[in-house]
Amino acid sequence: MTIANGLRRVCALGMLSLVGVLAACSSNPFEEKPIPACPRAFLPNDTAKLVQFRGDGKDLTDVILEAEFDGYLGDCGYDLDDKVLNVIISPVIRAELGPAAQGRAAKLQYFVALKDPTGEFIQKSVFDVSMAFPNNLNLARYRDEQVTLNVSLDDLWAGPDYEIYLGFQLSADQLDYNRRFGKN
């Protein structure tokens, strides 16, 4: 049974017998119990921006595309029975065609990764994005479909200690460029 983060009821009302309430619930079936918070999400500076260049060029006239995360929409829920954390996230990307663009479409990739409380990345998924630009605009905004990450937990209260990371899937040169010229 999946319960959304905003839903605070742990014990569902069951069939009441004449003897009492279900043994799994508290003595007061209407008592609300807290649900752990969602993990925090991060957009690291070195992967939050993408600059695609034509060939080996690094000049402004060689820019094909510049893109960056404009934020994300997200939520989480806990499957209390199976002790599973379900994270749902939907990235928002803003992009601009550069002077070296040779069409009205762009392709890029982003990742969503989950880090456990020990600091180990335990899940990473890479997603393809195809953006179309209108004929009269070089700017576009894209909101991707919801991405879902699921992780089994021994202890539900460890859920908030996990961390979610979003970023562009970059080449070594693109990552180096961001680290050298990106925002700090």
Side-chain angles (χ1 to χ4, degrees), residues 59-82:
D59 187 83
L60 286 177
T61 60
D62 296 318
V63 173
I64 296 170
L65 176 78
E66 286 189 67
E68 59 186 299
F69 282 90
D70 212 13
Y72 57 88
L73 303 172
D75 201 357
C76 78
Y78 289 87
D79 182 329
L80 301 178
D81 294 334
D82 294 332

Short mmCIF file of all heavy atoms in Angstrom, two decimals, residues 59-82:
data_model
loop_
_atom_site.label_atom_id
_atom_site.label_comp_id
_atom_site.label_asym_id
_atom_site.label_seq_id
_atom_site.Cartn_x
_atom_site.Cartn_y
_atom_site.Cartn_z
N ASP A 59 34.66 28.87 -28.60
CA ASP A 59 34.30 30.27 -28.74
C ASP A 59 32.78 30.41 -28.70
O ASP A 59 32.05 29.45 -28.99
CB ASP A 59 34.85 30.78 -30.09
CG ASP A 59 34.69 32.26 -30.24
OD1 ASP A 59 35.55 33.01 -29.73
OD2 ASP A 59 33.70 32.68 -30.88
N LEU A 60 32.29 31.60 -28.38
CA LEU A 60 30.84 31.83 -28.36
C LEU A 60 30.18 31.52 -29.69
O LEU A 60 29.04 31.08 -29.73
CB LEU A 60 30.54 33.28 -27.96
CG LEU A 60 30.76 33.63 -26.50
CD1 LEU A 60 30.50 35.12 -26.27
CD2 LEU A 60 29.86 32.81 -25.61
N THR A 61 30.89 31.73 -30.78
CA THR A 61 30.32 31.45 -32.10
C THR A 61 30.23 29.95 -32.38
O THR A 61 29.57 29.54 -33.32
CB THR A 61 31.14 32.12 -33.22
OG1 THR A 61 32.48 31.60 -33.17
CG2 THR A 61 31.14 33.63 -33.06
N ASP A 62 30.86 29.12 -31.55
CA ASP A 62 30.83 27.66 -31.70
C ASP A 62 29.75 26.99 -30.86
O ASP A 62 29.62 25.77 -30.88
CB ASP A 62 32.20 27.07 -31.31
CG ASP A 62 33.31 27.52 -32.23
OD1 ASP A 62 33.08 27.56 -33.46
OD2 ASP A 62 34.39 27.85 -31.72
N VAL A 63 28.97 27.76 -30.11
CA VAL A 63 27.95 27.19 -29.23
C VAL A 63 26.76 26.71 -30.05
O VAL A 63 26.15 27.48 -30.80
CB VAL A 63 27.48 28.21 -28.16
CG1 VAL A 63 26.31 27.67 -27.36
CG2 VAL A 63 28.65 28.57 -27.25
N ILE A 64 26.44 25.44 -29.91
CA ILE A 64 25.26 24.85 -30.54
C ILE A 64 24.06 25.00 -29.62
O ILE A 64 22.97 25.38 -30.06
CB ILE A 64 25.50 23.36 -30.85
CG1 ILE A 64 26.62 23.19 -31.86
CG2 ILE A 64 24.21 22.70 -31.34
CD1 ILE A 64 27.07 21.76 -32.05
N LEU A 65 24.27 24.72 -28.34
CA LEU A 65 23.17 24.72 -27.38
C LEU A 65 23.70 25.02 -25.99
O LEU A 65 24.77 24.54 -25.62
CB LEU A 65 22.50 23.32 -27.37
CG LEU A 65 21.38 23.11 -26.35
CD1 LEU A 65 20.10 23.75 -26.83
CD2 LEU A 65 21.16 21.63 -26.10
N GLU A 66 22.94 25.80 -25.25
CA GLU A 66 23.17 25.99 -23.81
C GLU A 66 21.89 25.58 -23.11
O GLU A 66 20.81 26.02 -23.49
CB GLU A 66 23.50 27.44 -23.47
CG GLU A 66 24.88 27.86 -23.89
CD GLU A 66 25.23 29.23 -23.35
OE1 GLU A 66 25.36 29.36 -22.11
OE2 GLU A 66 25.36 30.16 -24.18
N ALA A 67 22.02 24.76 -22.08
CA ALA A 67 20.84 24.32 -21.32
C ALA A 67 21.18 24.31 -19.84
O ALA A 67 22.33 24.11 -19.46
CB ALA A 67 20.43 22.92 -21.77
N GLU A 68 20.16 24.55 -19.03
CA GLU A 68 20.35 24.44 -17.59
C GLU A 68 19.03 24.06 -16.95
O GLU A 68 17.95 24.23 -17.52
CB GLU A 68 20.93 25.70 -16.98
CG GLU A 68 20.15 26.96 -17.16
CD GLU A 68 20.93 28.15 -16.62
OE1 GLU A 68 21.23 28.19 -15.42
OE2 GLU A 68 21.24 29.03 -17.43
N PHE A 69 19.15 23.51 -15.76
CA PHE A 69 17.95 23.13 -15.02
C PHE A 69 17.28 24.39 -14.50
O PHE A 69 17.92 25.27 -13.94
CB PHE A 69 18.30 22.20 -13.85
CG PHE A 69 18.54 20.79 -14.29
CD1 PHE A 69 19.82 20.38 -14.64
CD2 PHE A 69 17.51 19.89 -14.37
CE1 PHE A 69 20.05 19.09 -15.05
CE2 PHE A 69 17.74 18.60 -14.79
CZ PHE A 69 19.01 18.19 -15.13
N ASP A 70 15.98 24.44 -14.70
CA ASP A 70 15.17 25.56 -14.22
C ASP A 70 14.46 25.16 -12.94
O ASP A 70 13.60 25.88 -12.46
CB ASP A 70 14.17 25.95 -15.31
CG ASP A 70 13.84 27.41 -15.31
OD1 ASP A 70 14.54 28.19 -14.65
OD2 ASP A 70 12.86 27.78 -15.98
N GLY A 71 14.78 23.98 -12.43
CA GLY A 71 14.17 23.47 -11.22
C GLY A 71 13.65 22.06 -11.43
O GLY A 71 14.02 21.38 -12.39
N TYR A 72 12.75 21.66 -10.56
CA TYR A 72 12.15 20.33 -10.65
C TYR A 72 10.88 20.33 -9.80
O TYR A 72 10.70 21.15 -8.90
CB TYR A 72 13.12 19.23 -10.16
CG TYR A 72 13.59 19.46 -8.75
CD1 TYR A 72 12.86 18.95 -7.67
CD2 TYR A 72 14.74 20.19 -8.48
CE1 TYR A 72 13.28 19.19 -6.38
CE2 TYR A 72 15.16 20.41 -7.19
CZ TYR A 72 14.42 19.91 -6.14
OH TYR A 72 14.84 20.15 -4.85
N LEU A 73 10.01 19.41 -10.11
CA LEU A 73 8.83 19.15 -9.30
C LEU A 73 9.03 17.76 -8.72
O LEU A 73 9.50 16.86 -9.42
CB LEU A 73 7.56 19.20 -10.16
CG LEU A 73 7.34 20.51 -10.91
CD1 LEU A 73 6.17 20.36 -11.88
CD2 LEU A 73 7.10 21.64 -9.95
N GLY A 74 8.69 17.56 -7.47
CA GLY A 74 8.92 16.25 -6.90
C GLY A 74 8.12 16.00 -5.65
O GLY A 74 7.57 16.91 -5.04
N ASP A 75 8.07 14.75 -5.30
CA ASP A 75 7.39 14.30 -4.10
C ASP A 75 7.94 12.91 -3.76
O ASP A 75 8.70 12.33 -4.52
CB ASP A 75 5.88 14.24 -4.33
CG ASP A 75 5.08 14.29 -3.03
OD1 ASP A 75 5.69 14.32 -1.94
OD2 ASP A 75 3.85 14.30 -3.10
N CYS A 76 7.55 12.42 -2.63
CA CYS A 76 7.92 11.06 -2.29
C CYS A 76 6.79 10.43 -1.51
O CYS A 76 5.86 11.11 -1.06
CB CYS A 76 9.22 11.02 -1.49
SG CYS A 76 9.05 11.45 0.25
N GLY A 77 6.86 9.15 -1.37
CA GLY A 77 5.89 8.41 -0.58
C GLY A 77 6.57 7.19 0.01
O GLY A 77 7.65 6.78 -0.44
N TYR A 78 5.96 6.64 1.02
CA TYR A 78 6.51 5.46 1.68
C TYR A 78 5.49 4.34 1.61
O TYR A 78 4.33 4.53 1.93
CB TYR A 78 6.83 5.76 3.14
CG TYR A 78 8.02 6.67 3.31
CD1 TYR A 78 7.89 8.05 3.30
CD2 TYR A 78 9.30 6.15 3.46
CE1 TYR A 78 8.98 8.89 3.45
CE2 TYR A 78 10.39 6.98 3.61
CZ TYR A 78 10.23 8.34 3.61
OH TYR A 78 11.31 9.16 3.75
N ASP A 79 5.95 3.19 1.15
CA ASP A 79 5.13 1.98 1.22
C ASP A 79 5.42 1.39 2.59
O ASP A 79 6.47 0.79 2.81
CB ASP A 79 5.52 1.02 0.10
CG ASP A 79 4.67 -0.24 0.10
OD1 ASP A 79 4.22 -0.67 1.18
OD2 ASP A 79 4.46 -0.80 -1.00
N LEU A 80 4.50 1.61 3.52
CA LEU A 80 4.73 1.22 4.90
C LEU A 80 4.78 -0.29 5.09
O LEU A 80 5.51 -0.78 5.94
CB LEU A 80 3.66 1.84 5.80
CG LEU A 80 3.58 3.37 5.77
CD1 LEU A 80 2.46 3.86 6.65
CD2 LEU A 80 4.90 3.98 6.18
N ASP A 81 4.01 -1.00 4.30
CA ASP A 81 3.99 -2.46 4.44
C ASP A 81 5.28 -3.10 3.96
O ASP A 81 5.84 -3.97 4.62
CB ASP A 81 2.81 -3.06 3.67
CG ASP A 81 1.47 -2.65 4.26
OD1 ASP A 81 1.41 -2.34 5.48
OD2 ASP A 81 0.48 -2.61 3.51
N ASP A 82 5.76 -2.66 2.80
CA ASP A 82 6.96 -3.26 2.21
C ASP A 82 8.24 -2.51 2.55
O ASP A 82 9.32 -2.89 2.09
CB ASP A 82 6.81 -3.33 0.68
CG ASP A 82 5.71 -4.29 0.27
OD1 ASP A 82 5.44 -5.26 1.02
OD2 ASP A 82 5.12 -4.08 -0.80
#
